[in-house]
């Protein structure tokens, strides 16, 4: 499922369109040389019953991401990275 209200009007250099609709010409784009892809859809909504499987196939099989991390490790690493950059007396503004 995809909202046709949001759409790209142009694509980055070195990308080519792969799929689209009459209202959204750049639904899928690719740059094979740099192994980069763009896809507009909402896998998290109930209209996309295979959304999680689609995401996993893309992230693991196409993009080659490893599945050997856990969110708590990532969060702790990020917090430490921010502390290193900001320093002892620095300030961080965050929003959710």
């Amino acid at each position: 499922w995809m909202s046709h209200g949001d759409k790209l009007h142009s694509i980055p250099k070195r990308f080519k369109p792969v799929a689209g609709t009459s209202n959204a010409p750049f639904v899928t784009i690719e740059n094979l040389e740099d192994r980069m892809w763009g896809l507009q859809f909402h896998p998290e909504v109930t209209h996309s019953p295979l959304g999680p499987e689609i995401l996993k196939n893309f992230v693991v099989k196409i993009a080659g991401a490893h599945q050997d991390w856990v969110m708590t490790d990532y969060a702790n690493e990020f917090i430490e990275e921010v502390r290193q950059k900001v320093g002892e007396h620095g300030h961080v503004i965050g929003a959710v």
Side-chain angles (χ1 to χ4, degrees), residues 2 41 56-57 64 66 69 85 95-96:
M2 181 184 85
F41 85 119
K56 183 176 181 180
N57 285 340
H66 299 281
W69 63 277
K85 288 180 181 178
V96 177

Side-chain angles (χ1 to χ4, degrees), residues 47-87:
H47 296 75
S48 300
L50 297 177
E53 184 177 346
I54 292 168
L55 281 174
K56 183 176 181 180
N57 285 340
F58 175 79
V59 171
V60 175
K61 294 180 179 179
I62 295 175
H66 299 281
Q67 299 182 75
D68 59 352
W69 63 277
V70 293
M71 191 63 198
T72 54
D73 291 345
Y74 176 78
N76 291 331
E77 290 171 8
F78 178 75
I79 290 167
E80 184 57 33
E81 183 181 332
V82 170
R83 285 184 176 145
Q84 293 293 322
K85 288 180 181 178
V86 173

Side-chain angles (χ1 to χ4, degrees), residues 8-74:
L8 290 174
H9 293 280
S10 64
I11 58 177
K13 292 179 182 176
R14 297 172 34 168
F15 277 80
K16 70 174 191 173
V18 177
T21 68
S22 60
N23 185 51
F26 308 116
V27 172
T28 305
I29 60 174
E30 70 180 4
N31 175 334
L32 294 177
E33 184 178 325
D34 294 326
R35 294 184 44 82
M36 296 175 72
W37 298 267
L39 174 63
Q40 179 188 352
F41 85 119
H42 295 280
E44 74 282 4
V45 299
T46 58
H47 296 75
S48 300
L50 297 177
E53 184 177 346
I54 292 168
L55 281 174
K56 183 176 181 180
N57 285 340
F58 175 79
V59 171
V60 175
K61 294 180 179 179
I62 295 175
H66 299 281
Q67 299 182 75
D68 59 352
W69 63 277
V70 293
M71 191 63 198
T72 54
D73 291 345
Y74 176 78

